[in-house]
Amino acid sequence: APRAWPVWAIIAGWAQRDRAKSSDLPRAADVERQLLPAPLGGLPGYSLTTVFTPAFSVAGDFYDHYPVPGGLNVTVADVMGKGLGSAIVAATVRSALRASSQGFDRDGHHLDLSAAIESVDEMLVDDFSRTDTFVTLFHLYLESDTGPVSYIDAGHGTAALLRRSGEIEGLRSDDLPLGTSFGSTWQTRAVAMHPGDMLVIASDGLLDLLDDHAVVDDALQFLAGHTDPAQLCSAVAKLTETRLATDDITIVALRREG
C-alpha cells in the first residue's frame, strides 16, 4: 500500500518549496547585477557613468560595454515587458550580441555593426517568436583615438550627442526593433564625437519618470541640462527617490574629455 505521509511532513514539504521559490527572485537579481559590466577603465580621455534601476526585482533592460580593438562597444537594450521573463530574454540578447561582435575580432575582420545585429536577430528569431517579444536596442562602436562613433538604433529612439556648444544632436533611425520582422536589416550610421561632447543613451523608462506625457524630445532636453555624466546620473537617481518608477530605467553617459 502507498505510504501515508503525516500531515506535518506534507506541510513541511510545502513550506520548504515555498522558501525555495521565494529565494529565486533575489538570486535572479543578484545574477543580473553580476552580469553588468565593471566600471570602465583603461580608456584614456573618456569617462562613462551609468544608471540601472529595475522597476521590479529584475529588469528587462540591460546595458553593456567592453573594449574591442581600437575602441569600445556600448549597448543599451530594452526587452518588451517587465520582470523575470524579460530579464531572461535580455540576458540571452546580451550574450548573443557579445558573441557576434567578438566573432569579428577573432576572424580578423573590421567590426560590422549591421552584420552583428542581423546575426543576433537570426540566432534568436525563433526565441522571439515563441516568447512573443521584441527588443529595442542602441549599439555603438567608438574609435577612441579620434572619436568617430558608428551606431545602430533598432527602434530605441532615446539617444543623443550633447555637444560642448550646447547643441543637442538626436541619434535616431527608422529601423525596427529586433524580433519584429523576419529578414530585417539595420543601417549603420556615424557621428563624430569631439572633446567636451557627451553621448547619452536612455531606455524609455526615463520618459515615465519625467512625466506621464513626456516624449523623446522632453527626455533629450532633460539630458542636455546635465553636461557631466556623474551629474546627469545623480539627477536621475534623485528622481527615482521621489517618483515611482513604473518601468526599468537605464542610462549610459559617455563623455569625451576636453
Side-chain angles (χ1 to χ4, degrees), residues 62 75-80 89-90 92-94 96-97 100 113-129 131-139 152-156 175-187:
F62 77 86
T75 309
V76 173
D78 184 356
V79 177
M80 182 189 70
V89 176
T92 303
V93 174
R94 170 193 174 276
L97 185 54
S100 180
L113 295 188
S114 297
I117 298 299
E118 290 165 16
S119 174
V120 171
D121 192 61
E122 290 173 4
M123 280 190 285
L124 301 181
V125 63
D126 289 340
D127 293 345
F128 291 145
S129 178
T131 58
D132 194 24
T133 193
F134 63 85
V135 181
T136 69
L137 178 147
F138 192 97
H139 183 62
I152 284 179
D153 184 326
H156 198 74
D175 291 345
L176 296 172
L178 279 67
T180 55
S181 178
F182 180 75
S184 291
T185 59
W186 289 268
Q187 180 182 348

Side-chain angles (χ1 to χ4, degrees), residues 207-208 210-216 218:
L207 302 181
D208 296 334
L210 293 175
D211 188 273
D212 291 339
H213 306 291
V215 295
V216 170
D218 296 324

Side-chain angles (χ1 to χ4, degrees), residues 174-228:
D174 296 324
D175 291 345
L176 296 172
L178 279 67
T180 55
S181 178
F182 180 75
S184 291
T185 59
W186 289 268
Q187 180 182 348
T188 300
R189 292 169 167 80
V191 68
M193 191 175 185
H194 304 301
D197 293 346
M198 182 169 70
L199 196 154
V200 185
I201 316 161
S203 65
D204 61 4
L206 177 62
L207 302 181
D208 296 334
L209 187 65
L210 293 175
D211 188 273
D212 291 339
H213 306 291
V215 295
V216 170
D217 285 342
D218 296 324
L220 297 185
Q221 288 291 338
F222 171 81
L223 298 173
H226 306 83
T227 56
D228 176 77

Side-chain angles (χ1 to χ4, degrees), residues 10 42 67 70 77 95 124 165 182 205 210-211 216 236 238 241 252:
I10 295 173
S95 297
L124 301 181
S165 63
F182 180 75
L210 293 175
D211 188 273
V216 170
V236 174
K238 287 181 180 178
E241 295 173 0
V252 172

Side-chain angles (χ1 to χ4, degrees), residues 140-143 147-151 171 189-193 199 254:
L140 70 84
Y141 167 62
L142 164 71
E143 295 181 45
V149 174
S150 304
Y151 70 91
L171 307 180
R189 292 169 167 80
V191 68
M193 191 175 185
L199 196 154
L254 174 67

